[in-house]
Amino acid sequence: MDEVRRETTLNEDPDEVWRAISDEVMLERWLGEEVELDPVVGGGVRVLEDGEERIGTVEEVEDGRRLVFTWARPGEEPSRVELTVSPAHGGSRLTVVETPPAPSAPEPAWTPRLAALRASFEPALA
Amino acid sequence: MPKADAVFAALADPTRRSLIESLATRPASATRLAGDLPITRQAVAKHLTGLRSASLVTVERVGRESVYSLDPGPLGEAAAWIARVGDEWDSRLIKLERALES
Protein backbone atom coordinates (compact mmCIF):
# COMPACT_ATOMS: atom_id res chain seq x y z
CA MET A 1 0.00 0.00 0.00
CA ASP A 2 1.24 3.47 -0.75
CA GLU A 3 -0.09 6.96 -0.31
CA VAL A 4 -2.51 9.40 -1.83
CA ARG A 5 -1.06 12.81 -2.64
CA ARG A 6 -2.86 15.89 -3.87
CA GLU A 7 -1.40 19.33 -4.52
CA THR A 8 -3.34 22.45 -5.30
CA THR A 9 -2.44 26.07 -5.87
CA LEU A 10 -4.74 28.59 -4.24
CA ASN A 11 -5.08 32.34 -4.67
CA GLU A 12 -5.10 33.03 -0.95
CA ASP A 13 -2.10 33.82 1.25
CA PRO A 14 -0.54 31.02 3.31
CA ASP A 15 -1.96 32.53 6.53
CA GLU A 16 -5.47 32.32 5.20
CA VAL A 17 -5.00 28.78 3.92
CA TRP A 18 -3.49 27.77 7.28
CA ARG A 19 -6.61 29.09 8.99
CA ALA A 20 -8.77 27.12 6.57
CA ILE A 21 -7.03 23.86 7.49
CA SER A 22 -6.58 24.40 11.23
CA ASP A 23 -9.62 26.36 12.43
CA GLU A 24 -12.71 24.30 13.23
CA VAL A 25 -15.16 26.84 11.86
CA MET A 26 -13.33 26.96 8.53
CA LEU A 27 -12.80 23.19 8.49
CA GLU A 28 -16.56 22.67 8.76
CA ARG A 29 -16.90 24.36 5.38
CA TRP A 30 -14.95 21.69 3.52
CA LEU A 31 -13.65 18.79 5.57
CA GLY A 32 -16.88 17.69 7.19
CA GLU A 33 -20.24 18.82 8.49
CA GLU A 34 -18.89 18.66 12.04
CA VAL A 35 -15.20 19.08 12.85
CA GLU A 36 -13.40 19.11 16.16
CA LEU A 37 -9.68 19.65 15.78
CA ASP A 38 -7.33 21.01 18.39
CA PRO A 39 -4.20 22.04 16.44
CA VAL A 40 -1.69 21.07 19.10
CA VAL A 41 0.35 17.89 19.44
CA GLY A 42 -1.89 15.34 21.12
CA GLY A 43 -5.00 17.34 20.28
CA GLY A 44 -8.16 15.44 19.42
CA VAL A 45 -9.59 15.12 15.95
CA ARG A 46 -13.21 14.29 15.18
CA VAL A 47 -14.72 14.70 11.73
CA LEU A 48 -18.25 13.86 10.64
CA GLU A 49 -18.37 13.81 6.84
CA ASP A 50 -21.36 12.55 4.82
CA GLY A 51 -22.57 10.67 7.89
CA GLU A 52 -19.21 8.95 8.48
CA GLU A 53 -17.26 9.73 11.60
CA ARG A 54 -13.47 9.69 11.87
CA ILE A 55 -11.63 10.01 15.18
CA GLY A 56 -7.94 10.67 15.64
CA THR A 57 -5.09 12.66 17.10
CA VAL A 58 -2.91 15.54 16.01
CA GLU A 59 0.67 14.32 15.73
CA GLU A 60 2.68 17.29 14.49
CA VAL A 61 2.08 21.02 14.17
CA GLU A 62 4.30 23.64 12.58
CA ASP A 63 2.25 26.75 13.04
CA GLY A 64 1.24 28.31 9.75
CA ARG A 65 2.89 25.57 7.73
CA ARG A 66 2.22 21.93 8.55
CA LEU A 67 -0.41 19.86 10.28
CA VAL A 68 -0.19 16.10 10.69
CA PHE A 69 -2.90 13.97 12.23
CA THR A 70 -4.09 10.41 12.28
CA TRP A 71 -7.70 9.40 11.88
CA ALA A 72 -9.83 6.31 11.48
CA ARG A 73 -13.41 5.29 10.93
CA PRO A 74 -14.81 2.89 13.54
CA GLY A 75 -13.20 -0.54 13.30
CA GLU A 76 -10.41 0.62 10.99
CA GLU A 77 -6.73 1.17 11.57
CA PRO A 78 -5.79 4.87 11.50
CA SER A 79 -4.25 6.47 8.45
CA ARG A 80 -1.98 9.50 8.59
CA VAL A 81 -2.87 12.85 7.01
CA GLU A 82 -0.25 15.50 6.38
CA LEU A 83 -1.31 19.00 5.26
CA THR A 84 1.42 21.42 4.22
CA VAL A 85 0.98 25.06 3.24
CA SER A 86 3.72 26.91 1.41
CA PRO A 87 3.93 30.24 -0.41
CA ALA A 88 3.50 30.10 -4.16
CA HIS A 89 3.42 32.63 -6.93
CA GLY A 90 0.08 34.39 -6.59
CA GLY A 91 -0.92 32.70 -3.36
CA SER A 92 -0.20 29.36 -1.73
CA ARG A 93 0.39 25.72 -2.41
CA LEU A 94 -1.46 23.18 -0.32
CA THR A 95 -0.21 19.61 -0.29
CA VAL A 96 -2.19 16.77 1.21
CA VAL A 97 -0.70 13.33 1.75
CA GLU A 98 -2.73 10.52 3.29
CA THR A 99 -0.78 7.39 4.14
CA PRO A 100 -2.66 4.18 4.79
CA PRO A 101 -2.20 2.06 7.91
CA ALA A 102 0.77 -0.26 7.75
CA PRO A 103 -0.24 -3.78 6.78
CA SER A 104 -0.41 -6.05 9.79
CA ALA A 105 0.60 -9.17 7.89
CA PRO A 106 4.22 -9.82 6.90
CA GLU A 107 4.87 -8.11 3.57
CA PRO A 108 5.15 -10.38 0.57
CA ALA A 109 8.00 -10.17 -1.92
CA TRP A 110 6.15 -8.02 -4.45
CA THR A 111 5.52 -5.18 -1.97
CA PRO A 112 8.27 -3.00 -3.53
CA ARG A 113 6.05 -2.75 -6.62
CA LEU A 114 3.25 -1.40 -4.44
CA ALA A 115 5.72 0.94 -2.74
CA ALA A 116 6.45 2.42 -6.17
CA LEU A 117 2.76 3.12 -6.68
CA ARG A 118 2.20 6.82 -6.29
CA ALA A 119 -0.97 8.59 -7.23
CA SER A 120 -0.13 12.23 -7.79
CA PHE A 121 -2.70 14.28 -9.61
CA GLU A 122 -3.87 17.80 -9.80
CA PRO A 123 -7.46 17.83 -8.58
CA ALA A 124 -10.06 18.85 -11.14
CA LEU A 125 -11.00 22.21 -9.68
CA ALA A 126 -13.75 24.16 -11.38
CA MET B 1 3.09 -9.95 -12.16
CA PRO B 2 1.71 -6.44 -12.54
CA LYS B 3 4.04 -3.59 -13.33
CA ALA B 4 3.82 -0.65 -10.94
CA ASP B 5 3.52 1.78 -13.85
CA ALA B 6 0.55 -0.13 -15.31
CA VAL B 7 -1.21 0.05 -11.95
CA PHE B 8 -0.35 3.76 -11.69
CA ALA B 9 -1.83 4.37 -15.14
CA ALA B 10 -4.90 2.37 -14.18
CA LEU B 11 -5.57 4.60 -11.18
CA ALA B 12 -4.74 7.87 -12.94
CA ASP B 13 -8.17 8.06 -14.55
CA PRO B 14 -11.23 9.14 -12.49
CA THR B 15 -13.53 6.73 -14.36
CA ARG B 16 -11.27 3.80 -13.59
CA ARG B 17 -11.14 4.90 -9.95
CA SER B 18 -14.96 4.88 -9.93
CA LEU B 19 -14.96 1.38 -11.39
CA ILE B 20 -12.49 0.19 -8.75
CA GLU B 21 -14.64 1.71 -6.00
CA SER B 22 -17.76 0.02 -7.38
CA LEU B 23 -16.03 -3.34 -7.66
CA ALA B 24 -14.63 -2.95 -4.14
CA THR B 25 -18.25 -3.15 -2.99
CA ARG B 26 -19.28 -6.16 -5.07
CA PRO B 27 -18.50 -7.93 -8.38
CA ALA B 28 -20.53 -6.67 -11.34
CA SER B 29 -21.06 -6.99 -15.08
CA ALA B 30 -19.95 -4.26 -17.48
CA THR B 31 -23.61 -3.43 -18.09
CA ARG B 32 -24.28 -2.89 -14.40
CA LEU B 33 -21.13 -0.82 -13.98
CA ALA B 34 -22.09 1.34 -16.97
CA GLY B 35 -25.45 1.97 -15.37
CA ASP B 36 -23.73 3.80 -12.52
CA LEU B 37 -21.63 6.04 -14.77
CA PRO B 38 -22.39 8.67 -17.43
CA ILE B 39 -20.51 6.70 -20.11
CA THR B 40 -21.35 3.91 -22.53
CA ARG B 41 -21.01 0.22 -21.83
CA GLN B 42 -18.31 0.07 -24.52
CA ALA B 43 -16.30 2.76 -22.75
CA VAL B 44 -16.65 0.83 -19.50
CA ALA B 45 -15.48 -2.37 -21.22
CA LYS B 46 -12.41 -0.54 -22.51
CA HIS B 47 -11.54 0.71 -19.03
CA LEU B 48 -12.07 -2.77 -17.60
CA THR B 49 -9.58 -4.14 -20.14
CA GLY B 50 -7.02 -1.65 -18.85
CA LEU B 51 -7.72 -2.66 -15.27
CA ARG B 52 -7.38 -6.33 -16.21
CA SER B 53 -3.98 -5.79 -17.83
CA ALA B 54 -2.86 -4.13 -14.61
CA SER B 55 -4.10 -7.24 -12.79
CA LEU B 56 -6.41 -5.17 -10.64
CA VAL B 57 -9.56 -6.80 -11.96
CA THR B 58 -10.45 -10.36 -13.00
CA VAL B 59 -13.36 -11.57 -15.09
CA GLU B 60 -15.39 -14.74 -14.84
CA ARG B 61 -18.13 -16.08 -17.05
CA VAL B 62 -21.32 -16.63 -15.03
CA GLY B 63 -24.02 -17.98 -17.32
CA ARG B 64 -24.24 -15.60 -20.27
CA GLU B 65 -22.59 -12.72 -18.43
CA SER B 66 -19.02 -11.69 -17.80
CA VAL B 67 -18.71 -10.71 -14.16
CA TYR B 68 -15.82 -8.50 -13.08
CA SER B 69 -14.22 -8.62 -9.64
CA LEU B 70 -11.57 -6.56 -7.95
CA ASP B 71 -8.39 -8.52 -7.24
CA PRO B 72 -9.11 -9.93 -3.78
CA GLY B 73 -5.50 -9.72 -2.62
CA PRO B 74 -3.49 -6.79 -1.30
CA LEU B 75 -3.15 -5.27 -4.79
CA GLY B 76 -6.92 -4.91 -5.15
CA GLU B 77 -7.19 -3.61 -1.60
CA ALA B 78 -4.46 -1.07 -2.24
CA ALA B 79 -6.16 0.07 -5.44
CA ALA B 80 -9.52 0.36 -3.70
CA TRP B 81 -7.99 2.40 -0.89
CA ILE B 82 -6.14 4.71 -3.26
CA ALA B 83 -9.23 5.18 -5.42
CA ARG B 84 -11.54 5.94 -2.50
CA VAL B 85 -9.18 8.21 -0.57
CA GLY B 86 -8.08 9.99 -3.75
CA ASP B 87 -11.66 10.80 -4.64
CA GLU B 88 -12.39 11.92 -1.06
CA TRP B 89 -9.56 14.43 -1.16
CA ASP B 90 -10.54 15.65 -4.65
CA SER B 91 -14.00 16.38 -3.31
CA ARG B 92 -12.73 18.08 -0.14
CA LEU B 93 -10.29 20.29 -2.03
CA ILE B 94 -13.03 21.49 -4.37
CA LYS B 95 -15.07 22.47 -1.31
CA LEU B 96 -12.02 24.14 0.24
CA GLU B 97 -11.47 26.26 -2.82
CA ARG B 98 -15.13 27.31 -2.83
CA ALA B 99 -14.98 28.09 0.89
CA LEU B 100 -11.89 30.27 0.42
CA GLU B 101 -13.39 32.12 -2.52
CA SER B 102 -16.65 32.99 -0.81
Side-chain angles (χ1 to χ4, degrees), chain A residues 1-2 4 6 8 10 12 16-17 20 26 29-31 49 54 71 73 79 81 94 96 98-100 110 113-114 116-121 123-126, chain B residues 1-4 7-8 11-13 17 73-75 77-79 81-102:
Chain A
M1 291 246 232
D2 206 65
V4 163
R6 293 290 189 273
T8 182
L10 300 159
E12 291 72 21
E16 206 177 331
V17 176
M26 282 298 295
R29 299 180 64 188
W30 66 276
L31 186 61
E49 181 190 35
R54 287 176 172 84
W71 66 357
R73 296 182 297 188
S79 57
V81 175
L94 174 67
V96 182
E98 181 158 359
T99 310
W110 45 258
R113 292 179 191 274
L114 288 179
L117 179 64
R118 292 194 169 272
S120 300
F121 319 109
L125 296 173
Chain B
M1 193 71 84
K3 288 185 198 254
V7 178
F8 173 80
L11 291 172
D13 178 270
R17 290 201 294 274
L75 198 59
E77 281 180 29
W81 190 90
I82 289 169
R84 173 178 63 80
V85 174
D87 285 347
E88 284 170 352
W89 281 108
D90 285 338
S91 165
R92 290 170 190 142
L93 290 176
I94 287 172
K95 290 181 189 166
L96 170 62
E97 188 181 74
R98 288 192 193 135
L100 284 167
E101 282 171 1
S102 60

